[in-house]
Amino acid sequence: GRVIWKHRVEKPKSWPWHGLAGTPVIVGNRLIVASVEGNVYALSASTGSHLWTHHLKTSDPYAGSLSDLLAYGALVYVGLSSVDEILATTPGFLADSCGAVIALKASNGTVVWDTPTVVPPSSGAAVWSSFALDPALDLLYCDTGNNYQGTPTSTSDALLALNASTGALAWSQQV
């Protein structure tokens, strides 16, 4: 129970949700964690030193990760959500973030693929939960939340199966 190292990766924003909400993963000697503020960090598991940072969506300041990460092989899978619904209580705020699943190289944070769960003008369908992976079928499974506005899409409130290597949608089923 003795602390070996600690490392403050970022100063949380003053949002209702902030900081490190999901479960990190360890790949080799890398501890990889994602923040609600939209950053993924790799730290040395043995020393805590910073190895790399990747910002998930520079085009959306409210997008980040609440999901548990999943590592398989050389990839780390990250679910993209946002704080849009909470901020939508602010007069004039438009909840227009789109959910996604993003696969990063564990070695350096490079994006291998980025699959949106909805296409604008639709919004929402955030991925905020855990993943499951079937290596034999090369399928990555996740679920999505509701659309933020407009007509519900077929990939909102749904279970998705994505090709784990390419991110291509294999199938979706609303539940």
Side-chain angles (χ1 to χ4, degrees), residues 60 62 82-90 92-98 121-124 147-150:
D60 187 350
Y62 304 108
S82 73
V83 292
D84 274 29
E85 278 191 304
I86 293 170
L87 295 176
T89 60
T90 305
F93 184 86
L94 177 63
D96 61 357
S97 290
C98 297
S122 297
S123 63
N147 290 116
Y148 296 152
Q149 58 187 344

Side-chain angles (χ1 to χ4, degrees), residues 14-172:
S14 60
W15 292 340
W17 283 330
H18 58 271
L20 308 173
T23 302
V25 293
I26 295 179
V27 181
N29 188 41
R30 290 176 177 83
L31 179 128
I32 302 172
V33 63
S35 73
V36 176
E37 287 81 359
N39 297 305
V40 180
Y41 300 96
L43 306 173
S44 165
S46 56
T47 67
S49 63
H50 179 265
L51 301 173
W52 55 258
T53 300
H54 174 77
H55 189 71
L56 293 168
K57 290 289 181 180
T58 55
S59 61
D60 187 350
Y62 304 108
S65 181
L66 292 167
S67 72
D68 291 342
L69 305 183
L70 176 73
Y72 182 73
L75 300 181
V76 174
Y77 301 99
V78 182
L80 190 70
S81 57
S82 73
V83 292
D84 274 29
E85 278 191 304
I86 293 170
L87 295 176
T89 60
T90 305
F93 184 86
L94 177 63
D96 61 357
S97 290
C98 297
V101 178
I102 301 167
L104 304 173
K105 286 185 182 177
S107 60
N108 59 16
T110 301
V111 175
V112 175
W113 52 260
D114 180 341
T115 300
T117 55
V118 291
V119 178
S122 297
S123 63
V127 178
W128 48 265
S129 61
S130 302
F131 293 100
L133 190 136
D134 184 332
L137 296 176
D138 196 32
L139 288 178
L140 177 72
Y141 303 95
C142 66
D143 57 0
T144 63
N146 59 293
N147 290 116
Y148 296 152
Q149 58 187 344
T151 304
T153 58
S154 63
T155 54
S156 69
D157 298 309
L159 178 62
L160 307 182
L162 304 172
N163 179 294
S165 300
T166 67
L169 180 66
W171 55 261
S172 68

